[in-house]
Amino acid sequence: MLKRSALAASLAVCVAGLLPALCFGQDASQGATDTSAGSPSPSPAAGQGLPRFGIQVSAGSLGAGIQAATAVTRRSNVRFGVNYFKYSGSITSDNITYNGTLKLESAEVLYDQYIIGGFHISPGVMVYDGNQGTASASVSGGQTFTLNGVTYYSANVGSVSGTASITSRKVAPELLIGFGNLLPRSVRHFTVNFDLGVVYQGSANAKLNLTGSTCPNDPISGCLPIGANAAVQNNIQLEQTKINNSLGPFKFYPVLRLGFGYKF
Protein backbone atom coordinates (compact mmCIF):
# COMPACT_ATOMS: atom_id res chain seq x y z
CA MET A 1 0.00 0.00 0.00
CA LEU A 2 2.86 2.29 0.89
CA LYS A 3 4.57 1.51 -2.41
CA ARG A 4 1.36 2.30 -4.33
CA SER A 5 0.99 5.61 -2.52
CA ALA A 6 4.62 6.51 -3.26
CA LEU A 7 4.16 5.57 -6.91
CA ALA A 8 1.00 7.66 -7.17
CA ALA A 9 2.72 10.61 -5.54
CA SER A 10 5.65 10.30 -7.91
CA LEU A 11 3.31 10.25 -10.93
CA ALA A 12 1.47 13.30 -9.60
CA VAL A 13 4.72 15.20 -9.18
CA CYS A 14 5.84 14.25 -12.68
CA VAL A 15 2.51 15.26 -14.22
CA ALA A 16 2.47 18.49 -12.21
CA GLY A 17 5.95 19.29 -13.39
CA LEU A 18 5.35 18.28 -16.99
CA LEU A 19 2.15 20.19 -17.68
CA PRO A 20 3.58 23.67 -17.04
CA ALA A 21 6.54 22.84 -19.23
CA LEU A 22 4.26 21.81 -22.05
CA CYS A 23 2.14 24.90 -21.60
CA PHE A 24 5.06 27.26 -21.41
CA GLY A 25 6.58 25.59 -24.46
CA GLN A 26 3.41 26.22 -26.45
CA ASP A 27 3.30 29.82 -25.32
CA ALA A 28 6.91 30.29 -26.34
CA SER A 29 6.18 28.84 -29.73
CA GLN A 30 3.21 31.12 -30.15
CA GLY A 31 5.26 34.04 -28.93
CA ALA A 32 7.92 33.31 -31.52
CA THR A 33 5.24 33.07 -34.17
CA ASP A 34 3.69 36.34 -33.02
CA THR A 35 7.06 38.05 -32.96
CA SER A 36 7.65 36.91 -36.49
CA ALA A 37 4.21 37.99 -37.57
CA GLY A 38 4.53 41.29 -35.75
CA SER A 39 7.97 42.20 -37.01
CA PRO A 40 7.98 45.34 -39.17
CA SER A 41 7.64 44.50 -42.82
CA PRO A 42 10.10 46.15 -45.15
CA SER A 43 8.96 49.43 -46.71
CA PRO A 44 7.83 49.25 -50.33
CA ALA A 45 11.03 51.02 -51.41
CA ALA A 46 13.35 48.78 -49.40
CA GLY A 47 15.50 46.47 -51.45
CA GLN A 48 14.72 48.31 -54.67
CA GLY A 49 17.30 50.04 -56.86
CA LEU A 50 17.36 53.69 -57.81
CA PRO A 51 14.34 55.12 -59.66
CA ARG A 52 14.80 54.66 -63.37
CA PHE A 53 12.53 57.18 -65.04
CA GLY A 54 10.31 60.18 -64.37
CA ILE A 55 8.68 62.76 -66.59
CA GLN A 56 7.14 66.18 -66.03
CA VAL A 57 5.40 68.98 -67.88
CA SER A 58 6.30 72.55 -67.00
CA ALA A 59 5.68 76.21 -67.75
CA GLY A 60 7.91 79.20 -67.21
CA SER A 61 10.17 81.82 -68.72
CA LEU A 62 11.61 79.30 -71.22
CA GLY A 63 8.12 78.41 -72.43
CA ALA A 64 6.13 75.23 -72.08
CA GLY A 65 8.37 72.24 -71.48
CA ILE A 66 8.75 68.52 -71.04
CA GLN A 67 11.53 67.07 -68.86
CA ALA A 68 12.59 63.50 -68.24
CA ALA A 69 14.97 62.31 -65.52
CA THR A 70 16.87 59.24 -64.37
CA ALA A 71 18.67 58.71 -61.06
CA VAL A 72 22.47 58.68 -60.89
CA THR A 73 23.07 58.28 -57.15
CA ARG A 74 20.90 58.31 -54.03
CA ARG A 75 21.16 62.11 -54.03
CA SER A 76 21.39 63.08 -57.69
CA ASN A 77 19.53 62.87 -61.00
CA VAL A 78 20.23 63.73 -64.60
CA ARG A 79 17.45 65.67 -66.31
CA PHE A 80 16.80 66.22 -70.01
CA GLY A 81 14.29 68.76 -71.31
CA VAL A 82 12.89 70.69 -74.24
CA ASN A 83 11.01 74.01 -74.14
CA TYR A 84 8.89 75.90 -76.65
CA PHE A 85 6.87 79.11 -76.89
CA LYS A 86 5.80 81.29 -79.81
CA TYR A 87 4.14 84.68 -79.93
CA SER A 88 3.41 86.99 -82.87
CA GLY A 89 2.56 90.66 -82.65
CA SER A 90 3.19 94.17 -83.88
CA ILE A 91 5.07 97.08 -82.27
CA THR A 92 6.16 100.54 -83.41
CA SER A 93 9.49 102.06 -82.42
CA ASP A 94 10.91 105.34 -83.78
CA ASN A 95 7.91 105.30 -86.15
CA ILE A 96 9.09 102.04 -87.73
CA THR A 97 6.46 99.31 -87.59
CA TYR A 98 7.72 95.83 -86.77
CA ASN A 99 5.49 92.82 -87.40
CA GLY A 100 7.36 90.06 -85.65
CA THR A 101 7.49 86.71 -83.96
CA LEU A 102 9.14 85.86 -80.66
CA LYS A 103 10.16 82.21 -80.50
CA LEU A 104 11.58 80.46 -77.43
CA GLU A 105 12.98 77.09 -78.42
CA SER A 106 15.60 75.21 -76.43
CA ALA A 107 16.93 71.84 -75.27
CA GLU A 108 18.83 71.38 -72.00
CA VAL A 109 20.69 68.85 -69.87
CA LEU A 110 20.83 69.36 -66.08
CA TYR A 111 22.53 67.56 -63.19
CA ASP A 112 20.36 67.80 -60.06
CA GLN A 113 22.42 67.50 -56.88
CA TYR A 114 20.22 67.33 -53.77
CA ILE A 115 21.59 69.12 -50.72
CA ILE A 116 18.85 68.96 -48.07
CA GLY A 117 15.56 67.22 -48.74
CA GLY A 118 14.16 68.45 -52.04
CA PHE A 119 16.48 71.47 -52.27
CA HIS A 120 18.87 71.05 -55.19
CA ILE A 121 21.56 72.83 -57.18
CA SER A 122 21.44 72.09 -60.90
CA PRO A 123 24.33 73.04 -63.19
CA GLY A 124 23.76 72.25 -66.82
CA VAL A 125 24.02 73.18 -70.48
CA MET A 126 21.46 74.50 -72.90
CA VAL A 127 22.64 72.33 -75.75
CA TYR A 128 20.39 74.18 -78.19
CA ASP A 129 19.40 77.82 -77.67
CA GLY A 130 16.98 78.78 -80.42
CA ASN A 131 15.51 81.78 -78.59
CA GLN A 132 15.07 84.54 -81.13
CA GLY A 133 12.95 87.36 -82.44
CA THR A 134 12.35 88.05 -86.13
CA ALA A 135 10.29 90.79 -87.77
CA SER A 136 9.50 92.62 -90.95
CA ALA A 137 10.01 96.39 -90.79
CA SER A 138 8.12 99.05 -92.70
CA VAL A 139 7.54 102.81 -92.89
CA SER A 140 4.64 104.05 -94.96
CA GLY A 141 5.49 106.40 -97.84
CA GLY A 142 5.51 110.04 -96.80
CA GLN A 143 5.98 109.22 -93.07
CA THR A 144 8.93 110.25 -90.95
CA PHE A 145 11.04 107.81 -88.93
CA THR A 146 14.15 107.99 -86.79
CA LEU A 147 17.50 106.19 -86.97
CA ASN A 148 20.05 106.91 -84.24
CA GLY A 149 18.25 110.14 -83.38
CA VAL A 150 18.22 111.40 -87.01
CA THR A 151 14.84 111.92 -88.69
CA TYR A 152 14.21 110.87 -92.30
CA TYR A 153 11.25 110.74 -94.64
CA SER A 154 10.20 107.51 -96.29
CA ALA A 155 9.84 108.24 -100.02
CA ASN A 156 6.40 108.17 -101.58
CA VAL A 157 7.85 105.99 -104.32
CA GLY A 158 10.02 103.19 -103.01
CA SER A 159 8.98 103.45 -99.33
CA VAL A 160 11.24 102.02 -96.62
CA SER A 161 10.94 98.36 -95.64
CA GLY A 162 13.22 95.65 -94.35
CA THR A 163 13.86 92.98 -91.74
CA ALA A 164 15.02 92.82 -88.13
CA SER A 165 16.24 89.96 -85.95
CA ILE A 166 17.63 89.27 -82.49
CA THR A 167 19.52 86.03 -81.87
CA SER A 168 21.96 84.64 -79.32
CA ARG A 169 24.62 81.91 -79.07
CA LYS A 170 23.35 78.39 -79.79
CA VAL A 171 24.97 76.69 -76.77
CA ALA A 172 24.86 78.25 -73.30
CA PRO A 173 25.75 77.22 -69.71
CA GLU A 174 22.95 77.13 -67.17
CA LEU A 175 22.76 77.22 -63.36
CA LEU A 176 19.57 76.62 -61.39
CA ILE A 177 18.48 76.07 -57.81
CA GLY A 178 15.15 74.61 -56.89
CA PHE A 179 12.84 72.55 -54.74
CA GLY A 180 11.28 69.18 -55.51
CA ASN A 181 12.47 65.87 -56.88
CA LEU A 182 11.17 64.38 -60.08
CA LEU A 183 12.35 60.97 -58.78
CA PRO A 184 11.46 60.85 -55.05
CA ARG A 185 13.24 58.05 -53.15
CA SER A 186 9.95 56.79 -51.73
CA VAL A 187 6.69 55.21 -52.86
CA ARG A 188 5.42 58.61 -53.95
CA HIS A 189 4.78 59.03 -57.70
CA PHE A 190 3.35 62.52 -58.26
CA THR A 191 5.71 65.48 -57.77
CA VAL A 192 5.74 69.28 -57.90
CA ASN A 193 9.04 70.91 -58.82
CA PHE A 194 10.28 74.51 -58.93
CA ASP A 195 13.40 75.92 -60.64
CA LEU A 196 15.00 79.36 -60.45
CA GLY A 197 18.23 80.46 -62.13
CA VAL A 198 19.91 81.86 -65.22
CA VAL A 199 21.18 80.87 -68.66
CA TYR A 200 24.32 82.72 -69.75
CA GLN A 201 23.57 83.26 -73.44
CA GLY A 202 26.07 86.06 -74.01
CA SER A 203 25.51 89.30 -75.88
CA ALA A 204 22.47 89.49 -78.11
CA ASN A 205 23.04 89.90 -81.84
CA ALA A 206 20.56 92.40 -83.28
CA LYS A 207 20.43 93.01 -87.02
CA LEU A 208 18.46 95.68 -88.87
CA ASN A 209 18.34 95.70 -92.67
CA LEU A 210 16.42 98.42 -94.51
CA THR A 211 15.78 98.99 -98.19
CA GLY A 212 13.89 101.62 -100.16
CA SER A 213 14.56 105.34 -100.39
CA THR A 214 14.83 108.06 -97.79
CA CYS A 215 14.50 111.82 -98.15
CA PRO A 216 16.04 114.51 -95.95
CA ASN A 217 13.35 117.20 -95.95
CA ASP A 218 10.15 115.89 -97.57
CA PRO A 219 8.96 112.63 -99.16
CA ILE A 220 9.40 113.90 -102.71
CA SER A 221 12.67 115.79 -103.25
CA GLY A 222 16.26 114.76 -102.62
CA CYS A 223 15.41 111.09 -102.08
CA LEU A 224 18.16 108.47 -102.36
CA PRO A 225 18.16 104.68 -102.14
CA ILE A 226 19.39 103.53 -98.74
CA GLY A 227 22.05 101.39 -100.39
CA ALA A 228 23.56 104.54 -101.99
CA ASN A 229 23.32 106.73 -98.89
CA ALA A 230 26.35 106.27 -96.64
CA ALA A 231 24.93 108.45 -93.86
CA VAL A 232 21.75 106.36 -93.59
CA GLN A 233 23.73 103.12 -93.65
CA ASN A 234 25.95 104.42 -90.85
CA ASN A 235 22.92 105.34 -88.76
CA ILE A 236 21.45 101.87 -89.31
CA GLN A 237 24.65 100.37 -87.89
CA LEU A 238 24.56 102.75 -84.92
CA GLU A 239 20.89 101.85 -84.34
CA GLN A 240 21.88 98.17 -84.23
CA THR A 241 24.53 98.97 -81.65
CA LYS A 242 22.00 100.87 -79.54
CA ILE A 243 19.60 97.91 -79.63
CA ASN A 244 22.38 95.48 -78.65
CA ASN A 245 23.39 97.70 -75.74
CA SER A 246 19.81 97.87 -74.50
CA LEU A 247 19.72 94.07 -74.47
CA GLY A 248 22.87 93.84 -72.34
CA PRO A 249 21.06 92.62 -69.17
CA PHE A 250 19.74 89.61 -71.10
CA LYS A 251 23.23 88.11 -71.27
CA PHE A 252 21.90 86.31 -68.20
CA TYR A 253 18.49 85.06 -69.29
CA PRO A 254 16.27 84.45 -66.22
CA VAL A 255 14.76 81.00 -65.68
CA LEU A 256 11.61 80.59 -63.62
CA ARG A 257 9.79 77.27 -63.97
CA LEU A 258 7.06 75.23 -62.28
CA GLY A 259 6.63 71.55 -63.17
CA PHE A 260 4.30 68.69 -62.36
CA GLY A 261 5.81 65.23 -62.69
CA TYR A 262 5.24 61.51 -62.35
CA LYS A 263 7.76 58.82 -61.38
CA PHE A 264 7.29 55.46 -63.11
Side-chain angles (χ1 to χ4, degrees):
M1 184 69 180
L2 184 58
K3 290 182 178 180
R4 290 180 180 178
S5 298
L7 180 59
S10 298
L11 289 174
V13 170
C14 288
V15 171
L18 184 59
L19 284 175
L22 292 173
C23 291
F24 289 144
Q26 184 177 11
D27 288 345
S29 175
Q30 289 177 345
T33 302
D34 292 342
T35 301
S36 175
S39 62
S41 59
S43 66
Q48 295 182 359
L50 297 174
R52 291 187 178 182
F53 182 71
I55 192 168
Q56 77 170 4
V57 293
S58 64
S61 59
L62 291 174
I66 298 177
Q67 287 87 40
T70 187
V72 178
T73 71
R74 296 298 299 174
R75 301 181 67 86
S76 63
N77 303 331
V78 170
R79 204 172 3 145
F80 310 87
V82 293
N83 309 284
Y84 186 80
F85 175 79
K86 186 176 181 180
Y87 173 78
S88 296
S90 177
I91 62 170
T92 299
S93 177
D94 294 327
N95 221 21
I96 303 174
T97 300
Y98 298 93
N99 294 303
T101 298
L102 171 66
K103 185 166 66 173
L104 304 179
E105 188 176 50
S106 60
E108 58 189 330
V109 180
L110 297 164
Y111 183 84
D112 299 323
Q113 180 63 55
Y114 288 86
I115 308 302
I116 300 175
F119 175 73
H120 57 87
I121 298 176
S122 303
V125 178
M126 188 169 281
V127 293
Y128 172 69
D129 184 352
N131 298 340
Q132 62 179 318
T134 57
S136 61
S138 63
V139 182
S140 299
Q143 300 296 315
T144 61
F145 68 101
T146 302
L147 290 173
N148 191 40
V150 180
T151 300
Y152 299 94
Y153 281 89
S154 176
N156 281 332
V157 179
S159 61
V160 173
S161 62
T163 61
S165 65
I166 299 174
T167 58
S168 58
R169 62 173 66 177
K170 294 303 180 185
V171 178
E174 187 173 1
L175 181 62
L176 309 178
I177 60 173
F179 297 91
N181 192 339
L182 184 51
L183 295 171
R185 307 310 198 256
S186 66
V187 296
R188 190 160 49 93
H189 289 280
F190 291 98
T191 62
V192 178
N193 306 292
F194 175 76
D195 288 316
L196 174 67
V198 293
V199 176
Y200 181 72
Q201 57 185 6
S203 299
N205 182 18
K207 289 189 177 298
L208 178 62
N209 298 297
L210 297 177
T211 60
S213 297
T214 62
C215 318
N217 301 312
D218 59 66
I220 299 175
S221 60
C223 303
L224 288 174
I226 289 175
N229 192 326
V232 175
Q233 291 184 48
N234 182 61
N235 282 326
I236 290 174
Q237 294 299 317
L238 292 174
E239 187 73 19
Q240 282 186 177
T241 301
K242 185 170 70 173
I243 294 171
N244 283 325
N245 290 338
S246 70
L247 294 172
F250 287 95
K251 287 181 180 180
F252 294 92
Y253 185 85
V255 177
L256 183 68
R257 175 164 55 203
L258 180 64
F260 299 91
Y262 185 82
K263 179 188 73 174
F264 291 90

